[in-house]
Amino acid sequence: MLRTKWLRTEDMKILSVVGARPNFMKIAPIIRAIHLKNRTHQGLADRDSCNPTIISHILVHTGQHYDKGMSDAFFRDLDLPAPDIFLGVGSGTHAVQTSEIIRRFEPILLDHQPDLMIVVGDVNSTVACAMVAAKLTYEDGKRTFIAHVEAGLRSFDRSMPEEINRIVTDHISDLLFVTEQSGVDNLKREGIAAEKIFFVGNTMIDTLLAFRDLAAQSDALHTLGLVEPNGRMQSTVPYALVTLHRPSNVDNRVTFLEILKALKKISEKMPVIFPVHPRTRKQIASFQVANSATFNGNGSQIDARPGPGDLCLIDPLGYLDFLCLMSKARIVLTDSGGIQEETTCLGVPCVTIRRNTERPVTVANGTNILSGVEMQSIVDASNEQLNKTFSRELPECWDGNAACRIIDIIVEYFKVKGIDAYRS
Ligand code: UD1
């Protein structure tokens, strides 16, 4: 049965899931968009007596990432509400981590029975929670509707755990929110019905645009000795910024050494600042590679002003400090997915130390280039990027409004179809 103009207040309950570092930037604007929607409808309700949609929201953190620098710092920087539920899953093999999330999340879903669950990105928490919701039918015969934000991305490399997570999550979700045209094309090619697919833009970019000015006030450049006097002014020392954490790059000693050699070579031109992911930190210790490259710095503070030849290892940074460093970098080298997109938005040259990308719009835009993982190809790609000029045109819909579009679409869907029709 279709509902009238507005749903009743108690009808819309959304539960969102986060687990790992990149999830926090993707969910933050969605939570803000929910609050905005509620406030707007509250205003409408005050003016006329229509029955407003009030979305109640529950935030679940699986605890896949748990270090302060990988989780708490992001909640603080992004002004995220504390999670309503923390599952404390922690690390493990893929099977252990995924199954533990599934085991701990099922009672939460049973308890709250939300109308809609939002999962973001491609981490183990994303697929695990989507699988729980897809298989759970409540006593009244209804189920929770699943929305996947950042759907449709494909690297076409099934050795990447994230590729498996993306495919499975997309195929069991009900609403697919896509960041770039390739995502729409991939989903359609895989036989997903067009009416489930919505090209809305990129919520990670919403966050970047919202926090860019605040990030510019970070003192990270000063702390890291990357500012030098220039007459009566100060200028930023040209530097390269690096992140590495893909198992295919850091879990294999030969590959990892090859990449470190390239970074060392690049550091002869300009200092390389390298905030080290915990996985990578572990591998540096276990491979005993610290002697293979001259490292400078061993925490968030660097002892001396970094200069040519310095490869500076520092602790992982919070969102604002990292955004500040990324905005001012001469070049970024990374194997992250999100950083390819963020550098595209910032117009900063990026070298992706991988053979493929699930985000081809960043390459088409020109800011990003794939280098592969060999020492010489990484150095060549860096030189190419440093000598290139590219247009500052942003990909379609990367305008800071993706999250509002998502919430509008969700509300419209539930309004038009009626919540009961959707949950059965
Ligand atoms: C995960 C995601 C990856 C994402 C990345 C962002 C999966 C399959 N992978 O990879 O897609 O790009 O997060 O960072 O979901 N560790 C800590 N402290 C923490 C978290 C992890 O020390 O807070 C260490 C543990 O030793 C752990 C290792 O890092 O075993 C890897 O963590 P895990 O969550 O398994 O995968 P990531 O490599 O972080």
Side-chain angles (χ1 to χ4, degrees):
M1 191 182 70
L2 293 188
R3 291 265 161 83
T4 48
K5 191 172 177 193
W6 297 106
L7 300 162
R8 284 202 312 267
T9 1
E10 67 273 19
D11 277 347
M12 174 92 71
K13 190 196 272 186
I14 296 182
L15 181 150
S16 305
V17 175
V18 290
R21 186 168 61 175
N23 294 164
F24 308 133
M25 294 77 106
K26 292 169 192 168
I27 212 69
I30 295 177
I31 295 176
R32 269 196 301 282
I34 290 174
H35 290 321
L36 190 65
K37 195 79 176 166
N38 284 342
R39 278 205 302 275
T40 312
H41 283 183
Q42 200 63 60
L44 280 177
D46 291 344
R47 279 209 310 275
D48 54 43
S49 58
C50 70
N51 199 2
T53 305
I54 301 291
I55 304 168
S56 66
H57 181 253
I58 302 160
L59 181 62
V60 175
H61 185 342
T62 65
Q64 176 175 345
H65 283 176
Y66 45 87
D67 283 356
K68 281 194 167 25
M70 299 293 285
S71 179
D72 297 9
F74 287 78
F75 275 77
R76 185 197 60 221
D77 281 4
L78 299 171
D79 205 16
L80 272 165
D84 299 289
I85 296 154
F86 183 71
L87 300 181
V89 165
S91 302
T93 61
H94 286 281
V96 167
Q97 190 175 60
T98 308
S99 57
E100 200 53 36
I101 298 168
I102 288 176
R103 201 176 67 77
R104 295 187 193 195
F105 184 62
E106 187 181 50
I108 305 297
L109 210 55
L110 270 170
D111 193 22
H112 291 276
Q113 305 198 5
D115 303 300
L116 180 91
M117 179 183 75
I118 300 178
V119 290
V120 297
D122 56 15
V123 302
N124 285 344
S125 302
T126 311
V127 70
C129 294
M131 275 169 40
V132 173
K135 291 186 170 188
L136 196 58
T137 305
Y138 307 119
E139 271 181 4
D140 60 3
K142 295 181 181 148
R143 69 174 183 90
T144 291
F145 203 55
I146 308 168
H148 183 206
V149 172
E150 198 187 84
L153 297 181
R154 296 289 181 268
S155 65
F156 304 101
D157 173 3
R158 291 205 179 191
S159 69
M160 274 181 93
E162 292 81 2
E163 183 75 350
I164 307 300
N165 295 346
R166 291 179 199 119
I167 294 169
V168 174
T169 306
D170 284 342
H171 283 259
I172 57 180
S173 292
D174 302 281
L175 283 178
L176 297 145
F177 294 111
V178 179
T179 53
E180 60 169 279
Q181 184 58 42
S182 75
V184 176
D185 302 339
N186 293 332
L187 292 172
K188 286 187 178 165
R189 200 178 42 248
E190 290 173 16
I192 291 183
E195 62 263 26
K196 289 180 165 187
I197 305 169
F198 300 89
F199 184 0
V200 290
N202 193 322
T203 64
M204 190 177 237
I205 299 302
D206 291 2
T207 294
L208 186 152
L209 295 173
F211 284 90
R212 197 176 174 171
D213 291 346
L214 197 56
Q217 295 167 29
S218 153
D219 57 8
L221 290 168
H222 282 96
T223 310
L224 295 171
L226 294 167
V227 177
E228 62 185 3
N230 182 1
R232 294 166 73 186
M233 310 286 282
Q234 292 195 314
S235 60
T236 304
V237 176
Y239 61 92
L241 180 65
V242 172
T243 78
L244 281 179
H245 73 281
R246 293 267 157 238
S248 56
N249 281 346
V250 303
D251 287 2
N252 178 303
R253 190 173 195 276
V254 175
T255 307
F256 192 24
L257 270 183
E258 191 75 7
I259 297 171
L260 287 177
K261 278 191 228 155
L263 298 180
K264 191 66 193 151
K265 186 92 187 145
I266 291 163
S267 77
E268 289 166 12
K269 276 196 181 165
M270 62 184 95
V272 173
I273 309 297
F274 184 0
V276 187
H277 186 283
R279 173 192 284 279
T280 312
R281 173 81 67 188
K282 254 191 185 170
Q283 298 305 58
I284 287 172
S286 84
F287 294 153
Q288 300 184 317
V289 292
N291 294 333
S292 315
T294 314
F295 292 133
N296 175 9
N298 192 20
S300 49
Q301 186 89 31
I302 292 173
D303 300 334
R305 190 183 299 285
D310 283 337
L311 181 49
C312 307
L313 268 67
I314 59 173
D315 287 337
L317 295 167
Y319 181 73
L320 294 173
D321 287 343
F322 188 77
L323 178 52
C324 173
L325 280 192
M326 194 163 41
S327 314
K328 297 281 182 187
R330 182 65 188 86
I331 188 166
V332 173
L333 296 104
T334 188
D335 58 9
S336 149
I339 292 171
Q340 297 172 55
E341 296 177 335
E342 289 169 332
T343 47
T344 292
C345 182
L346 294 167
V348 171
C350 177
V351 172
T352 296
I353 306 178
R354 287 171 48 188
R355 295 197 173 88
N356 53 54
T357 179
E358 59 289 329
R359 292 160 161 95
V361 75
T362 61
V363 176
N365 182 277
T367 46
N368 187 23
I369 191 171
L370 298 176
S371 68
V373 294
E374 291 75 29
M375 196 267 273
Q376 196 55 50
S377 62
I378 297 169
V379 172
D380 290 347
S382 301
N383 289 334
E384 187 179 332
Q385 287 298 77
L386 284 169
N387 293 322
K388 201 155 91 182
T389 48
F390 29 74
S391 96
R392 290 297 317 276
E393 211 172 298
L394 287 182
E396 198 180 344
C397 290
W398 289 20
D399 58 2
N401 296 316
C404 286
R405 287 187 198 105
I406 289 171
I407 295 305
D408 283 349
I409 290 166
I410 288 171
V411 168
E412 193 57 28
Y413 245 73
F414 276 70
K415 200 164 78 180
V416 170
K417 293 261 185 179
I419 217 155
D420 292 340
Y422 258 83
R423 291 188 57 206
S424 320

